[in-house]
Amino acid sequence: LYRLAVPSKVEISVKQQLDRLQINCRDVNYIIVSHFHADHICGLRDFPNAKFICSSASFETTKNIGSRLEASRKAIFQSLLPKNIESRLWLYDLDKNIDIKKDRNMGRLHDLFCDQSILLTDLSGHAAGQTGAMINTKSDTYFLIADACWISESFKQNILPSNAARLVFENWDATSKTLKKIHQYFKANPTTHIIPSHCPQAVSHYMRKTQQERFTTSV
């Protein structure tokens, strides 16, 4: 049912992309799982040594999936997960050793490594316990908002998806509140690079940016 409802073709896997960069999947220590929908977790088994960082609500929803029909409706398939995933989880929202920061618009931010390099925040709505990640580099801040919206124009204008999208969103009210928070954050932080997972314009832009930076560095 899921294949029929959401036809997709993976042209190149994450593992293949990392191979091109000469990065071995076995050397990856951490993976932030925004949520457990099939299109976001289908490559997890390629990383045998990684810890999986996610919210407790996100994993509980995944763990408690019942029938195949429910799995298809929620796009969560336990068969895609590593068999030993529970022993490799880092449920960041339950970790009392993580510093908590406050943002005026986003609320609680979990300072993952207590150095402000990666700040995690709740973006529930599209999926229960969906997580967003703010990545601070030396020069820029990137805010990865997963599926809180699907195109950049949505958070820029605070425009919800069409009503048809309600069928695949876990909680529409939470979706609306989350999108409003991101919109307010965008207005207050115009230099932050906010990236929805499925926005073709954003993906294309940042792929070009990465290639240009790699070329400049090599030259």
Side-chain angles (χ1 to χ4, degrees):
L1 287 175
Y2 182 76
R3 272 200 304 269
L4 293 174
V6 189
S8 61
K9 179 181 178 182
V10 178
E11 295 183 357
I12 179 170
S13 69
V14 173
K15 181 181 184 302
Q16 290 171 318
Q17 293 178 57
L18 292 179
D19 285 343
R20 289 182 177 180
L21 298 173
Q22 298 183 326
I23 298 173
N24 193 317
C25 287
R26 292 181 176 276
D27 296 329
V28 174
N29 295 321
Y30 301 101
I31 295 176
I32 298 171
V33 183
S34 61
H35 59 299
F36 285 87
H37 286 177
D39 57 324
H40 288 260
I41 57 108
C42 58
L44 293 186
R45 289 183 295 184
D46 290 332
F47 298 86
N49 300 319
K51 276 193 169 295
F52 301 117
I53 302 165
C54 65
S55 73
S56 55
S58 183
F59 185 70
E60 278 302 307
T61 299
T62 302
K63 184 179 178 181
N64 294 324
I65 284 292
S67 66
R68 289 185 178 181
L69 181 61
E70 182 184 11
S72 296
R73 188 179 68 81
K74 293 191 173 183
I76 296 174
F77 301 97
Q78 296 172 347
S79 61
L80 294 174
L81 299 173
K83 291 182 178 180
N84 63 346
I85 188 169
E86 291 199 56
S87 66
R88 297 164 61 190
L89 288 176
W90 181 357
L91 303 178
Y92 71 87
D93 55 322
L94 301 184
D95 190 337
K96 295 182 180 179
N97 294 316
I98 293 179
D99 291 341
I100 303 296
K101 311 293 184 184
K102 288 281 188 178
D103 180 82
R104 182 178 62 184
N105 299 297
M106 298 309 303
R108 289 165 63 90
L109 302 176
H110 299 258
D111 188 354
L112 191 60
F113 297 112
C114 300
D115 60 2
Q116 298 193 50
S117 61
I118 300 178
L119 301 166
L120 304 182
T121 188
D122 177 63
L123 298 180
S124 291
H126 173 73
Q130 179 174 240
T131 294
M134 295 180 187
I135 314 293
N136 291 307
T137 69
K138 291 181 179 179
S139 58
D140 292 290
T141 296
Y142 296 85
F143 187 8
L144 311 182
I145 62 172
D147 287 2
C149 63
W150 290 327
I151 59 173
S152 297
E153 199 63 25
S154 292
F155 72 76
K156 291 178 180 179
Q157 303 295 331
N158 191 25
I159 301 172
L160 284 165
S162 68
N163 284 332
R166 290 174 182 258
L167 296 173
V168 294
F169 278 64
E170 182 76 18
N171 185 311
W172 194 252
D173 288 339
T175 296
S176 178
K177 291 176 182 177
T178 290
L179 184 61
K180 184 177 181 180
K181 288 195 300 182
I182 297 171
H183 173 65
Q184 292 171 336
Y185 178 88
F186 163 70
K187 291 197 297 183
N189 301 273
T191 61
T192 295
H193 304 281
I194 302 177
I195 308 175
S197 294
H198 297 287
C199 178
Q201 290 80 12
V203 171
S204 176
H205 170 75
Y206 289 106
M207 283 182 67
R208 287 198 305 272
K209 185 174 185 291
T210 301
Q211 291 169 351
Q212 289 168 358
E213 289 173 351
R214 192 181 304 151
F215 174 77
T216 302
T217 302
S218 63
V219 171

